[in-house]
Amino acid sequence: MQLAAIVISLVTFVIGTALAARAALYIYKVVRTGADDTTRFGRPAQRVKTVATEFVGHTRMNRWGIVGIAHWFVAVGFFSLVLTIVNAFGQLFDAEFALPIIGHWMVWQLFVELVGTLTTLGIAVLIVIRLMSLPSRSGRKSRFAGSIAWQAFYVEYTILGIGLCILMLRALEGALNGVDSYGPEHLVSYPLVSALSGLSHGTLENLIYLFAMLKICISFAWATTIGLNPSMGVAWHRFLGFFNIYFKREEDGGTALGALRPMTSGGQPIDFEDPAEDAVFGVSQVEHFSWKGILDFSTCTECGRCQSQCPAWNTGKPLSPKLLIMSLREHAYGKAPYLLAGGGKDMEGEEKATSEQLKDVPAAALAEAERPLIGTAEAPDSGGLGGVIDPDVLWSCTTCGACVEQCPVDIEHIDHIVDMRRYQVMIESSFPTEAGTMLKNLENKGNPWGMATKARLDWVKELKKETGIEVPVIGEDIDPAEVEYLYWVGCAGALEDRAKKTTKAFAELLHTAGVKFAILGKEESCTGDSARRLGNEFLFQMLGAQNVETLNAALEDAPVKRIVATCPHCFNTIANEYPQLGGHFEVIHHTQLLQHLIDEGKLIPVNPVEGLITYHDPCYLGRHNKVYSPPREIMDKVPGLRQQEMHRHKERGFCCGAGGARMWMEERIGKRINTERVDEALSLDPDIVSTACPFCLVMLSDSVNGKKNEGAAKEHLKVVDVAQLLLDSVKALPPTGNEEQPATVDA
């Protein structure tokens, strides 16, 4: 028995180790096929701290309650119990073997007992959760829909088997050593120790040989399996996750939200005024992704958290962030033999490698290399292009950031999607036709609707007529040195009728609070948010450079270059993306300023606004910029309002459907995203739906009006910006004519 256990274990160990090491080297080579990216190496100490924080704290996973706790014990046990494998090898040769120094140390034995037990229980919980949410039962609602089931179950049952072997070996060790009472060393395993204590010494030794062999064979059969499947993300993420988190985009450890990365070629930002002749615009081949992109694809664990939160997937559209990453991973590894042999196409589509270089490349890899990155999924013989990513998948994304926010291994989905869009828009001119009108309007008129520049001041005239308040234009009606805040109105805030109500309400509140503010008026132009997220980086650069120049000139004499914006998209672009263009400004959202003015006592909500209210978190204010509290605190101060959160809110808030330039595209597949969100709001039977974004205001209003027409929503239900609510509460009520006159007293 002992000899057989030794031989089988050693053979399994050698094969598993060799194959896993070979696969690790292969993964490294595949990752290196990606383009250069030199931005991933700054602040190494902070990056190490981020890895430690995210792993030890399980900062993303623990948002999922019991799943996070169970996974924490599995992850910690996987790495901290590695010495039990060493101990098992020793037990093959001597059943009474214990690790030198710590083997008989009570603390170590208690640690193995507790962590081994909790790891086993943790993986059992995860198995049950997976079984309860099988795609065969839940369909698209299952976050495991599309995941490679056999790989996931194989990994989970491997860990379960190893955990059971650890506990069995602990019990056999106790029985062999004659343990006859409870103690820290056998806190969990003692009942099994007691059950085994009647066996003979020889039988106990043989059982130790058997379970030590089982533990080793299960462990290195797993190593063999992952060695033969280098794209097995559900297994390899245990190692690659550390590297993926270390090399994440934000050096300070933040998620890859807010700003988009500048467009690069060969690892360097493209100079759009004088681009290099061989510059690659966007991504049209998998090797055009940076090496970090390939690492992202390799690290995906197929957990489906991104998928479960995606507004496109939840409304019946073909986009699943998980399936998109998995498709890119399988394509990258399928094409890798061709790339590693020197294969590749230039911008004209000519092959760069010689026939001699490609002679040993498998036919499957050559066929994979011919597949377009973006193209209809059907095979060519069925009338399709056999593309890796279907255009409907690419254009369904709202860039809401839910996938990036939830991913436990920091995959940067939005950056990859936008990079693919950039090539489609700038090189192929292939994008939804409705968006073309928006782009032309931006180019010609500086706003998405194509309205005349002078229309940007219509709301100013309306406000003066309604209230008598005059809004000054900086540099014309007021000196920049007198301005506390430059109010960036935005295209929607100036030109869209529903959003103009927010603009006027905010301006009136600033006037009431005595804040010195001004606007740019006709000098303001679109920030370029929609153009950039659609993929037209050139147009964004043009609009952004123009706005940065305008803002720098307007605020040159201002004590602080302080800007306030009512549109989260403008807020995000000016604050987070204009620094890429040389524009450094202090930017806040209007809800942040209003909250500050309330705290200072400059705005006092006194008039009650009765009703049940639910707040919709704008993605570009919430997830992208972590502004969650100010709008809610403002509503808390308004008398009469009763707040109730929708099921999906804050970090898990659900998109309105307008982001990622989707505002300008028709929604032809599945349920409308704004309808899904309004249905969620209506489940609370609210009187008011509030938000803090003009895009959200338009999308939610459209859906609510549709529901009213169907008789599915109360006629008095209204959709308003938080600023409008606050103004209703701050404004003095009009006199009713029944007030008593105060008595007068003679002096």
Side-chain angles (χ1 to χ4, degrees):
M1 178 66 205
Q2 183 181 20
L3 180 60
I6 290 172
V7 171
I8 293 171
S9 297
L10 290 179
V11 169
T12 308
F13 165 72
V14 170
I15 294 173
T17 302
L19 289 175
R22 185 187 70 170
L25 179 60
Y26 184 70
I27 291 171
Y28 172 76
K29 290 179 178 178
V30 173
V31 169
R32 288 298 303 272
T33 62
D36 289 340
D37 185 348
T38 59
T39 65
R40 307 285 179 163
F41 303 96
R43 300 179 65 185
Q46 176 60 47
R47 290 181 180 276
V48 170
K49 180 181 176 182
T50 298
V51 173
T53 301
E54 291 201 20
F55 175 71
V56 177
H58 253 49
T59 51
R60 304 288 180 83
M61 293 292 296
N62 283 337
R63 297 174 184 171
W64 290 72
I66 187 66
V67 175
I69 296 169
H71 190 276
W72 189 88
F73 283 110
V74 171
V76 169
F78 182 84
F79 291 103
S80 65
L81 296 178
V82 67
L83 287 179
T84 62
I85 295 181
V86 177
N87 198 77
F89 273 110
Q91 288 173 316
L92 291 175
F93 297 91
D94 179 1
E96 298 187 34
F97 175 84
L99 292 170
I101 304 176
I102 64 170
H104 295 293
W105 187 29
M106 182 268 288
V107 174
W108 166 249
Q109 292 185 336
L110 177 61
F111 178 83
V112 173
E113 286 272 313
L114 292 178
V115 176
T117 301
L118 292 171
T119 297
T120 306
L121 291 175
I123 200 64
V125 167
L126 296 181
I127 290 171
V128 170
I129 289 171
R130 187 178 292 272
L131 289 171
M132 290 174 62
S133 186
L134 287 174
S136 58
R137 295 178 181 175
S138 307
R140 285 175 68 99
K141 291 183 179 180
S142 170
R143 62 185 174 91
F144 303 116
S147 299
I148 303 174
W150 78 263
Q151 293 184 354
F153 280 117
Y154 175 73
V155 169
E156 289 173 343
Y157 284 119
T158 291
I159 297 170
L160 180 64
I162 292 172
L164 292 174
C165 284
I166 289 174
L167 295 177
M168 189 64 186
L169 284 169
R170 291 290 302 141
L172 289 167
E173 291 163 12
L176 194 64
N177 292 323
V179 173
D180 57 3
S181 63
Y182 264 109
E185 297 89 342
H186 294 279
L187 187 66
V188 178
S189 62
Y190 180 71
L192 197 51
V193 171
S194 180
L196 294 170
S197 59
L199 298 177
S200 67
H201 190 276
T203 301
L204 290 171
E205 285 187 332
N206 281 329
L207 286 173
I208 286 177
Y209 300 146
L210 173 64
F211 279 95
M213 178 191 70
L214 282 175
K215 176 172 167 47
I216 292 167
C217 286
I218 292 172
S219 299
F220 289 97
W222 180 78
T224 300
T225 303
I226 69 171
L228 295 172
N229 294 277
S231 64
M232 190 174 174
V234 70
W236 280 104
H237 85 277
R238 297 172 182 280
F239 310 107
L240 299 179
F242 296 105
F243 297 99
N244 212 50
I245 294 170
Y246 179 88
F247 291 117
K248 66 193 299 185
R249 190 180 83 181
E250 303 301 325
E251 293 179 350
D252 63 2
T255 50
L257 294 170
L260 283 175
R261 281 169 53 84
M263 194 166 169
T264 60
S265 177
Q268 298 299 319
I270 295 174
D271 180 358
F272 281 88
E273 293 184 2
D274 184 24
E277 289 186 8
D278 60 347
V280 177
F281 290 81
V283 169
S284 63
Q285 303 289 335
V286 73
E287 62 269 26
H288 293 166
F289 287 108
S290 72
W291 59 263
K292 174 57 168 63
I294 309 295
L295 182 59
D296 270 357
F297 311 152
S298 305
T299 307
C300 177
T301 184
E302 303 174 26
C303 66
R305 284 168 179 79
C306 58
Q307 179 175 287
S308 71
Q309 303 299 301
C310 177
W313 183 259
N314 275 279
T315 53
K317 295 166 183 62
L319 169 64
S320 156
K322 176 187 73 177
L323 298 179
L324 179 138
I325 295 297
M326 289 172 61
S327 296
L328 291 172
R329 179 188 67 200
E330 298 308 315
H331 177 58
Y333 279 84
K335 189 177 180 180
Y338 163 80
L339 295 174
L340 292 173
K345 304 283 179 67
D346 60 22
M347 296 303 291
E348 284 72 40
E350 297 296 324
E351 178 59 60
K352 293 186 287 187
T354 64
S355 55
E356 180 65 24
Q357 287 176 288
L358 300 179
K359 64 181 177 64
D360 295 324
V361 175
L366 293 173
E368 193 71 32
E370 293 301 317
R371 295 179 67 194
L373 190 66
I374 306 298
T376 49
E378 295 83 6
D381 56 8
S382 302
L385 296 174
V388 179
I389 305 298
D390 192 280
D392 284 335
V393 170
L394 186 66
W395 297 111
S396 292
C397 180
T398 67
T399 67
C400 70
C403 50
V404 179
E405 178 71 34
Q406 292 298 328
C407 182
V409 290
D410 285 299
I411 292 171
E412 298 161 5
H413 312 73
I414 293 177
D415 287 349
H416 305 319
I417 288 171
V418 172
D419 274 340
M420 289 186 283
R421 285 183 172 188
R422 284 167 168 166
Y423 180 84
Q424 293 301 301
V425 172
M426 300 182 69
I427 303 301
E428 296 290 334
S429 294
S430 176
F431 50 88
T433 53
E434 318 90 63
T437 303
M438 178 268 292
L439 293 176
K440 288 178 183 176
N441 288 336
L442 289 181
E443 290 179 27
N444 299 328
K445 297 292 186 179
N447 68 79
W449 290 278
M451 296 176 70
T453 303
K454 63 181 181 180
R456 286 186 176 272
L457 288 171
D458 286 352
W459 73 270
V460 176
K461 298 170 188 173
E462 293 169 13
L463 182 64
K464 183 178 180 180
K465 185 177 180 180
E466 294 165 8
T467 66
I469 296 172
E470 295 190 11
V471 176
V473 176
I474 195 166
E476 294 181 14
D477 307 316
I478 190 171
D479 189 87
E482 300 176 47
V483 175
E484 293 178 70
Y485 291 94
L486 172 64
Y487 175 22
W488 183 275
V489 181
C491 298
L495 303 171
E496 207 283 329
D497 287 340
R498 286 164 287 188
K500 280 159 68 173
K501 295 178 181 178
T502 303
T503 304
K504 290 186 280 188
F506 181 57
E508 190 171 347
L509 286 166
L510 292 182
H511 177 78
T512 302
V515 175
K516 293 275 190 179
F517 74 101
I519 63 172
L520 285 174
K522 296 177 184 178
E523 295 299 312
E524 192 176 292
S525 185
C526 181
T527 59
D529 164 81
S530 291
R532 192 175 213 195
R533 277 147 188 79
L534 182 74
N536 195 328
E537 183 71 10
F538 178 78
L539 181 54
F540 164 76
Q541 295 275 338
M542 183 180 75
L543 292 167
Q546 175 186 325
N547 283 327
V548 167
E549 183 179 351
T550 301
L551 286 167
N552 281 333
L555 297 173
E556 185 177 4
D557 297 326
V560 180
K561 294 183 178 182
R562 189 179 288 132
I563 299 170
V564 60
T566 42
C567 176
H569 295 264
C570 298
F571 164 57
N572 177 69
T573 303
I574 299 171
N576 299 325
E577 297 187 333
Y578 279 6
Q580 299 171 7
L581 307 176
H584 300 276
F585 311 102
E586 183 182 321
V587 191
I588 62 171
H589 189 251
H590 75 290
T591 56
Q592 294 173 301
L593 179 54
L594 292 176
Q595 181 208 2
H596 175 68
L597 294 173
I598 292 173
D599 291 344
E600 285 193 332
K602 293 181 178 179
L603 290 174
I604 303 174
V606 289
N607 301 319
V609 179
E610 299 293 342
L612 177 67
I613 188 168
T614 189
Y615 174 72
H616 164 80
D617 284 285
C619 301
Y620 273 79
L621 183 63
R623 267 192 298 270
H624 280 277
N625 285 284
K626 307 297 181 280
V627 178
Y628 296 111
S629 297
R632 291 174 168 82
E633 292 184 20
I634 292 169
M635 291 184 289
D636 278 340
K637 297 289 172 55
V638 175
L641 283 180
R642 293 172 288 118
Q643 286 192 61
Q644 188 168 347
E645 297 282 10
M646 284 183 266
H647 174 66
R648 293 176 285 203
H649 63 280
K650 293 188 175 178
E651 290 88 353
R652 292 200 192 181
F654 196 78
C655 183
C656 75
R662 289 295 320 175
M663 179 83 168
W664 320 106
M665 300 181 230
E666 286 299 323
E667 205 169 335
R668 296 186 175 90
I669 304 173
K671 184 178 181 180
R672 293 183 67 88
I673 293 173
N674 58 340
T675 301
E676 171 74 9
R677 186 54 163 167
V678 165
D679 283 343
E680 186 172 358
L682 292 179
S683 69
L684 304 176
D685 194 26
D687 301 297
I688 306 169
V689 176
S690 68
T691 187
C693 169
F695 283 16
C696 297
L697 190 72
V698 169
M699 298 297 283
L700 298 178
S701 296
D702 283 348
S703 185
V704 165
N705 290 336
K707 293 291 181 181
K708 287 180 179 179
N709 292 335
E710 297 168 6
K714 296 182 290 192
E715 279 301 319
H716 70 268
L717 174 64
K718 57 183 180 179
V719 181
V720 296
D721 188 275
V722 172
Q724 294 169 261
L725 289 170
L726 181 59
L727 179 63
D728 287 344
S729 186
V730 167
K731 284 175 74 171
L733 291 172
T736 62
N738 298 324
E739 292 85 353
E740 294 184 9
Q741 296 298 318
T744 58
V745 179
D746 292 335

